[in-house]
Amino acid sequence: MRPLEGLVMTVDVDRREVIKFSDTGRGIPIPGGANTDYRFHPGNDPPEMNPINPISMEQPQGPSFTVTDGHLVEWANWEFHLKADQRAGFIVSRVVVRDSETGDRRSVMYKGFPSELFVPYMDVDEAWYFKSYMDAGEFGMGATAMPLVPLNDCPRNAHYMDGVFVSADGRPFIQPNMICLFERYAGDSAWRHTELTVSAGGEKVRNR
């Protein structure tokens, strides 16, 4: 969090030599290092709040989805392929839904993944012009993903998937527990609409 602006070095990675050195930011101050940590540090005193009781979602018969061959997910009348991706983070593909009345299968989506983070730097400065618009994908959302912690990031009965990626020197490596797949309760009403007329029996309530 203390960048050195204007310091640029060009390196020949084949010869392992620095071929150009540029320092144009000598007049740009360096941020201070004291009292700048944005991360939360819990103190010794308890928080000023009423205690919260734990909440647990139980599935006595286990999850309702199945995962075949490590990536093919089937849940209710849905079927899709889920995999980790070094650049996009994760990819959902070949999404198919089966009509609950006729049983006919219908393709919904061929391939989908999270949107890229667009950062238009638009700075012609020597230290910034080469930075890509695709800020996260340039390095890789999957490569920067952290392992998910069971019962902390994901609930019980979650299914975990690793990411198999490749490093800069071409060697494969595994990003463990990069994706977790689980069910959550979604029975709460998204919104409630009521129509109440003056006449008796005119109340209409709709939940979604």
Side-chain angles (χ1 to χ4, degrees), residues 66-96:
T66 59
V67 181
T68 308
D69 296 331
H71 299 282
L72 183 62
V73 181
E74 293 182 79
W75 178 78
N77 57 335
W78 291 89
E79 177 184 309
F80 57 91
H81 186 275
L82 177 63
K83 60 162 284 188
D85 184 83
Q86 189 162 356
R87 187 195 67 81
F90 69 90
I91 293 178
V92 180
S93 59
R94 304 203 314 260
V95 182
V96 175

Tab-separated table of all heavy atoms in Angstrom, residues 66-96:
chain	number	residue	atom	x	y	z
A	66	THR	N	-26.240	-33.264	-7.360
A	66	THR	CA	-25.193	-34.270	-7.559
A	66	THR	C	-24.138	-33.701	-8.489
A	66	THR	O	-24.441	-32.881	-9.365
A	66	THR	CB	-25.755	-35.568	-8.158
A	66	THR	OG1	-26.377	-35.283	-9.422
A	66	THR	CG2	-26.784	-36.197	-7.223
A	67	VAL	N	-22.906	-34.122	-8.301
A	67	VAL	CA	-21.793	-33.695	-9.146
A	67	VAL	C	-21.163	-34.943	-9.747
A	67	VAL	O	-20.664	-35.811	-9.020
A	67	VAL	CB	-20.750	-32.895	-8.346
A	67	VAL	CG1	-19.616	-32.455	-9.262
A	67	VAL	CG2	-21.398	-31.692	-7.675
A	68	THR	N	-21.201	-35.040	-11.072
A	68	THR	CA	-20.669	-36.182	-11.796
A	68	THR	C	-19.399	-35.782	-12.540
A	68	THR	O	-19.339	-34.684	-13.120
A	68	THR	CB	-21.700	-36.726	-12.796
A	68	THR	OG1	-22.944	-36.957	-12.105
A	68	THR	CG2	-21.238	-38.022	-13.423
A	69	ASP	N	-18.411	-36.676	-12.532
A	69	ASP	CA	-17.138	-36.427	-13.234
A	69	ASP	C	-16.485	-35.127	-12.761
A	69	ASP	O	-15.745	-34.494	-13.526
A	69	ASP	CB	-17.339	-36.391	-14.754
A	69	ASP	CG	-17.812	-37.728	-15.306
A	69	ASP	OD1	-17.469	-38.762	-14.688
A	69	ASP	OD2	-18.511	-37.741	-16.331
A	70	GLY	N	-16.774	-34.733	-11.540
A	70	GLY	CA	-16.097	-33.584	-10.956
A	70	GLY	C	-16.646	-32.234	-11.333
A	70	GLY	O	-16.333	-31.231	-10.683
A	71	HIS	N	-17.487	-32.145	-12.407
A	71	HIS	CA	-17.903	-30.825	-12.892
A	71	HIS	C	-19.355	-30.753	-13.351
A	71	HIS	O	-19.900	-29.654	-13.446
A	71	HIS	CB	-17.004	-30.377	-14.052
A	71	HIS	CG	-15.565	-30.242	-13.689
A	71	HIS	ND1	-15.069	-29.163	-12.993
A	71	HIS	CD2	-14.511	-31.074	-13.902
A	71	HIS	CE1	-13.766	-29.320	-12.807
A	71	HIS	NE2	-13.409	-30.468	-13.342
A	72	LEU	N	-19.981	-31.867	-13.674
A	72	LEU	CA	-21.356	-31.851	-14.174
A	72	LEU	C	-22.325	-31.841	-12.995
A	72	LEU	O	-22.397	-32.801	-12.233
A	72	LEU	CB	-21.615	-33.061	-15.073
A	72	LEU	CG	-23.012	-33.123	-15.709
A	72	LEU	CD1	-23.238	-31.918	-16.616
A	72	LEU	CD2	-23.179	-34.415	-16.486
A	73	VAL	N	-23.062	-30.750	-12.850
A	73	VAL	CA	-23.953	-30.547	-11.713
A	73	VAL	C	-25.404	-30.758	-12.159
A	73	VAL	O	-25.830	-30.225	-13.190
A	73	VAL	CB	-23.803	-29.130	-11.127
A	73	VAL	CG1	-24.721	-28.929	-9.933
A	73	VAL	CG2	-22.345	-28.873	-10.731
A	74	GLU	N	-26.138	-31.542	-11.379
A	74	GLU	CA	-27.565	-31.741	-11.617
A	74	GLU	C	-28.312	-31.383	-10.342
A	74	GLU	O	-27.993	-31.879	-9.261
A	74	GLU	CB	-27.852	-33.187	-12.013
A	74	GLU	CG	-27.263	-33.579	-13.357
A	74	GLU	CD	-27.601	-35.013	-13.732
A	74	GLU	OE1	-28.739	-35.246	-14.194
A	74	GLU	OE2	-26.734	-35.890	-13.547
A	75	TRP	N	-29.299	-30.506	-10.480
A	75	TRP	CA	-30.100	-30.065	-9.333
A	75	TRP	C	-31.521	-29.795	-9.804
A	75	TRP	O	-31.727	-29.008	-10.741
A	75	TRP	CB	-29.495	-28.808	-8.720
A	75	TRP	CG	-30.284	-28.260	-7.573
A	75	TRP	CD1	-30.306	-28.716	-6.289
A	75	TRP	CD2	-31.179	-27.140	-7.618
A	75	TRP	NE1	-31.155	-27.952	-5.520
A	75	TRP	CE2	-31.713	-26.979	-6.313
A	75	TRP	CE3	-31.581	-26.265	-8.629
A	75	TRP	CZ2	-32.622	-25.975	-5.993
A	75	TRP	CZ3	-32.501	-25.271	-8.317
A	75	TRP	CH2	-32.992	-25.129	-7.010
A	76	ALA	N	-32.500	-30.458	-9.171
A	76	ALA	CA	-33.914	-30.325	-9.551
A	76	ALA	C	-34.042	-30.580	-11.056
A	76	ALA	O	-33.676	-31.654	-11.529
A	76	ALA	CB	-34.442	-28.960	-9.143
A	77	ASN	N	-34.518	-29.616	-11.804
A	77	ASN	CA	-34.634	-29.792	-13.253
A	77	ASN	C	-33.560	-29.019	-14.014
A	77	ASN	O	-33.727	-28.681	-15.186
A	77	ASN	CB	-36.023	-29.358	-13.732
A	77	ASN	CG	-36.345	-27.919	-13.350
A	77	ASN	OD1	-35.801	-27.393	-12.377
A	77	ASN	ND2	-37.230	-27.281	-14.089
A	78	TRP	N	-32.443	-28.747	-13.351
A	78	TRP	CA	-31.327	-28.017	-13.964
A	78	TRP	C	-30.110	-28.920	-14.116
A	78	TRP	O	-29.877	-29.816	-13.306
A	78	TRP	CB	-30.940	-26.799	-13.116
A	78	TRP	CG	-31.968	-25.718	-13.126
A	78	TRP	CD1	-33.018	-25.580	-12.277
A	78	TRP	CD2	-32.034	-24.618	-14.032
A	78	TRP	NE1	-33.744	-24.464	-12.587
A	78	TRP	CE2	-33.174	-23.849	-13.658
A	78	TRP	CE3	-31.254	-24.213	-15.114
A	78	TRP	CZ2	-33.539	-22.692	-14.341
A	78	TRP	CZ3	-31.615	-23.056	-15.791
A	78	TRP	CH2	-32.746	-22.309	-15.409
A	79	GLU	N	-29.329	-28.614	-15.136
A	79	GLU	CA	-28.073	-29.327	-15.373
A	79	GLU	C	-27.074	-28.349	-15.988
A	79	GLU	O	-27.408	-27.611	-16.918
A	79	GLU	CB	-28.302	-30.502	-16.325
A	79	GLU	CG	-27.042	-31.268	-16.679
A	79	GLU	CD	-27.316	-32.363	-17.697
A	79	GLU	OE1	-28.259	-33.158	-17.462
A	79	GLU	OE2	-26.610	-32.422	-18.728
A	80	PHE	N	-25.858	-28.310	-15.447
A	80	PHE	CA	-24.848	-27.406	-15.991
A	80	PHE	C	-23.456	-27.916	-15.651
A	80	PHE	O	-23.277	-28.757	-14.764
A	80	PHE	CB	-25.028	-25.971	-15.458
A	80	PHE	CG	-24.990	-25.852	-13.963
A	80	PHE	CD1	-23.800	-25.607	-13.293
A	80	PHE	CD2	-26.159	-25.957	-13.222
A	80	PHE	CE1	-23.766	-25.495	-11.910
A	80	PHE	CE2	-26.134	-25.841	-11.837
A	80	PHE	CZ	-24.944	-25.611	-11.185
A	81	HIS	N	-22.477	-27.406	-16.362
A	81	HIS	CA	-21.071	-27.755	-16.168
A	81	HIS	C	-20.388	-26.582	-15.463
A	81	HIS	O	-20.516	-25.433	-15.875
A	81	HIS	CB	-20.397	-28.028	-17.514
A	81	HIS	CG	-19.002	-28.538	-17.400
A	81	HIS	ND1	-17.911	-27.703	-17.261
A	81	HIS	CD2	-18.500	-29.802	-17.402
A	81	HIS	CE1	-16.810	-28.423	-17.184
A	81	HIS	NE2	-17.139	-29.692	-17.277
A	82	LEU	N	-19.670	-26.872	-14.385
A	82	LEU	CA	-19.017	-25.841	-13.579
A	82	LEU	C	-17.545	-26.163	-13.441
A	82	LEU	O	-17.172	-27.287	-13.102
A	82	LEU	CB	-19.670	-25.769	-12.198
A	82	LEU	CG	-19.075	-24.781	-11.188
A	82	LEU	CD1	-19.212	-23.350	-11.687
A	82	LEU	CD2	-19.751	-24.933	-9.827
A	83	LYS	N	-16.710	-25.187	-13.717
A	83	LYS	CA	-15.259	-25.408	-13.615
A	83	LYS	C	-14.558	-24.115	-13.223
A	83	LYS	O	-15.064	-23.013	-13.431
A	83	LYS	CB	-14.685	-25.901	-14.945
A	83	LYS	CG	-14.890	-24.928	-16.101
A	83	LYS	CD	-13.974	-25.216	-17.273
A	83	LYS	CE	-12.564	-24.744	-16.992
A	83	LYS	NZ	-11.673	-24.830	-18.167
A	84	ALA	N	-13.399	-24.279	-12.613
A	84	ALA	CA	-12.551	-23.131	-12.278
A	84	ALA	C	-11.762	-22.712	-13.506
A	84	ALA	O	-11.393	-23.542	-14.344
A	84	ALA	CB	-11.602	-23.490	-11.141
A	85	ASP	N	-11.509	-21.413	-13.610
A	85	ASP	CA	-10.766	-20.882	-14.752
A	85	ASP	C	-9.724	-19.893	-14.252
A	85	ASP	O	-10.019	-19.052	-13.394
A	85	ASP	CB	-11.722	-20.200	-15.736
A	85	ASP	CG	-11.019	-19.721	-16.983
A	85	ASP	OD1	-10.810	-20.535	-17.903
A	85	ASP	OD2	-10.667	-18.525	-17.044
A	86	GLN	N	-8.540	-19.994	-14.790
A	86	GLN	CA	-7.434	-19.173	-14.298
A	86	GLN	C	-7.667	-17.691	-14.550
A	86	GLN	O	-7.306	-16.852	-13.731
A	86	GLN	CB	-6.125	-19.611	-14.942
A	86	GLN	CG	-4.888	-18.957	-14.336
A	86	GLN	CD	-3.625	-19.714	-14.678
A	86	GLN	OE1	-3.671	-20.766	-15.309
A	86	GLN	NE2	-2.483	-19.200	-14.281
A	87	ARG	N	-8.282	-17.336	-15.649
A	87	ARG	CA	-8.505	-15.932	-15.959
A	87	ARG	C	-9.847	-15.428	-15.442
A	87	ARG	O	-9.931	-14.424	-14.744
A	87	ARG	CB	-8.437	-15.693	-17.471
A	87	ARG	CG	-8.482	-14.210	-17.844
A	87	ARG	CD	-8.775	-14.014	-19.309
A	87	ARG	NE	-10.117	-14.448	-19.639
A	87	ARG	CZ	-11.215	-13.709	-19.432
A	87	ARG	NH1	-11.113	-12.522	-18.868
A	87	ARG	NH2	-12.400	-14.153	-19.769
A	88	ALA	N	-10.935	-16.150	-15.766
A	88	ALA	CA	-12.282	-15.663	-15.448
A	88	ALA	C	-12.709	-15.967	-14.026
A	88	ALA	O	-13.672	-15.387	-13.543
A	88	ALA	CB	-13.289	-16.268	-16.427
A	89	GLY	N	-12.040	-16.865	-13.342
A	89	GLY	CA	-12.428	-17.249	-11.991
A	89	GLY	C	-13.197	-18.550	-12.009
A	89	GLY	O	-12.725	-19.573	-11.528
A	90	PHE	N	-14.394	-18.547	-12.578
A	90	PHE	CA	-15.142	-19.786	-12.783
A	90	PHE	C	-16.023	-19.618	-14.018
A	90	PHE	O	-16.393	-18.499	-14.398
A	90	PHE	CB	-15.980	-20.172	-11.563
A	90	PHE	CG	-17.138	-19.255	-11.285
A	90	PHE	CD1	-18.380	-19.487	-11.851
A	90	PHE	CD2	-16.973	-18.158	-10.455
A	90	PHE	CE1	-19.443	-18.641	-11.601
A	90	PHE	CE2	-18.035	-17.318	-10.192
A	90	PHE	CZ	-19.272	-17.552	-10.772
A	91	ILE	N	-16.361	-20.735	-14.635
A	91	ILE	CA	-17.164	-20.732	-15.857
A	91	ILE	C	-18.325	-21.699	-15.677
A	91	ILE	O	-18.137	-22.836	-15.253
A	91	ILE	CB	-16.325	-21.124	-17.081
A	91	ILE	CG1	-15.271	-20.050	-17.380
A	91	ILE	CG2	-17.216	-21.325	-18.304
A	91	ILE	CD1	-14.367	-20.382	-18.545
A	92	VAL	N	-19.518	-21.231	-15.985
A	92	VAL	CA	-20.720	-22.062	-16.017
A	92	VAL	C	-21.092	-22.263	-17.477
A	92	VAL	O	-21.272	-21.283	-18.210
A	92	VAL	CB	-21.884	-21.408	-15.255
A	92	VAL	CG1	-23.120	-22.299	-15.297
A	92	VAL	CG2	-21.492	-21.116	-13.823
A	93	SER	N	-21.198	-23.500	-17.920
A	93	SER	CA	-21.458	-23.767	-19.332
A	93	SER	C	-22.474	-24.891	-19.484
A	93	SER	O	-22.766	-25.622	-18.541
A	93	SER	CB	-20.154	-24.119	-20.061
A	93	SER	OG	-19.555	-25.257	-19.476
A	94	ARG	N	-23.002	-24.990	-20.697
A	94	ARG	CA	-23.955	-26.036	-21.078
A	94	ARG	C	-25.112	-26.118	-20.079
A	94	ARG	O	-25.459	-27.192	-19.570
A	94	ARG	CB	-23.264	-27.379	-21.215
A	94	ARG	CG	-22.092	-27.380	-22.189
A	94	ARG	CD	-21.784	-28.745	-22.731
A	94	ARG	NE	-21.745	-29.798	-21.739
A	94	ARG	CZ	-20.635	-30.292	-21.209
A	94	ARG	NH1	-19.468	-29.799	-21.572
A	94	ARG	NH2	-20.679	-31.285	-20.334
A	95	VAL	N	-25.728	-24.986	-19.819
A	95	VAL	CA	-26.838	-24.931	-18.866
A	95	VAL	C	-28.116	-25.382	-19.566
A	95	VAL	O	-28.506	-24.832	-20.598
A	95	VAL	CB	-27.016	-23.516	-18.295
A	95	VAL	CG1	-28.148	-23.491	-17.281
A	95	VAL	CG2	-25.714	-23.024	-17.664
A	96	VAL	N	-28.767	-26.391	-18.995
A	96	VAL	CA	-29.987	-26.966	-19.566
A	96	VAL	C	-31.041	-27.046	-18.470
A	96	VAL	O	-30.731	-27.401	-17.330
A	96	VAL	CB	-29.721	-28.372	-20.143
A	96	VAL	CG1	-31.015	-29.017	-20.620
A	96	VAL	CG2	-28.717	-28.301	-21.278
